[in-house]
Amino acid sequence: MPTAEDTDLPGPIWARGEPRIAGATHVGSVRQVNQDAFGRFDDEARSEILLVVADGLGGHLGGEVASRMAVERIGEFVRTSVGDPDERLRSAIEQANDDILDRAREDPSLDGMGTTVVCLLLVEDGRSWVAHVGDSRLYRLRGGSIRCLTEDHSLIATLVREGVLTEAQARDDPRRNQILRALGVREDVELDLGAVELQPGDVYLLCSDGLHGLIEDEEIQRLADHSSRPEAVVKDLIEAANAAGGTDNVTGVVVQIPEPMPIEPVRGGAGRLLERARALLTRPFR
Ligand code: CA
C-alpha cells in the first residue's frame, strides 16, 4: 500500500463554489528517488489557482532539482508578473526554462538535467488555461467520458499521430520514454498553450507518465468516478499505478469543479404561499 506525500492542498473559497483539489506524488515500486514534483499556488487577489506537475529527467540528482525548480519558479512568476493570465503562464514557463539552464551551467553535477511540465491555471472570472512541455498530461472528465487535453511531445506519440505505430504497438515500445521537448534543455522552449472552458461537474487530472503510462484511460475514468473526494481519487490512482508495476514515479493532481447548488424556484414557492393565502381568504365564514 503506497503512502502518498502531501495529499491535502487547502485553498481559498471561490464565490461560486471552490474547486476541490488534491494532489500526491509517490516514488513508485521500483525507483529509489522521486524526480516528480507538483505544486499549488493560490492568488486570492486575482481569484486564480495554478496547479503544476513536473517530471524531472537526467542524472542522479539533476531530474529532481529541475522538476522542483520548474514548479517553484512557474508558481512564483505567474503570481508576481503582470498581464493576462495566458501571457503570464507562457512567460513563467520560459523564465523557468532559463533558470534551469543557468543552474545546470553553474553546477556541472546537474549538467543535462531537464523536466516536463503541465500547468492548469484556474481563473474564476474568465478563461482557464493549460500549458505543457513534454509528456505529462492534463485529462478532463465530463459527462461520462475522459479526454486528454494535451498532446505528448514524445517520439512515440508523434509516430502514432503519423500512423507509423498503432496505440497498441506504442504501449510496449521500448522508446516510450523518449520525449522531444523539455524544460532546461535548450535556450528556446516550445510550449503548447490552450484555453480550458470550465463547466460545473468537470473533473481534471494533471499527471506524470508514471500514472498515465501504467493505467488505461478507462481505468482512470472508473477510479475518478468511484469517489466524490479528490483525496480518495488521487490515492486510488497512485495505488492502481503501483499495482500495475509502479515502474516510475507517480504523480496526480485532481480538480473537481463543483456542481451548482440546487435552488428551489422562488416563483414556485411564492406561488404556493399565495395559493394558501387565497384559500384562507376565500374560505366561507360559518
Ligand atoms: Ca516519469
Side-chain angles (χ1 to χ4, degrees), residues 12 26 38 79 83 102 107 145 149 161 183 195 203 215 218-219 235 243 259 276:
H26 190 268
F38 73 101
R79 242 182 336 183
D102 288 348
D107 185 345
S145 65
L149 301 184
R161 274 198 295 278
L183 281 195
V203 176
I215 322 177
E218 295 72 28
E219 179 70 354
K235 185 169 162 279
E259 301 271 11
R276 265 188 76 192

Side-chain angles (χ1 to χ4, degrees), residues 122-140:
L122 299 165
V123 181
E124 188 184 4
D125 301 313
R127 277 207 173 116
S128 294
W129 298 90
V130 55
H132 84 290
V133 180
D135 65 354
S136 296
R137 292 184 180 173
L138 175 70
Y139 284 95
R140 179 178 67 204

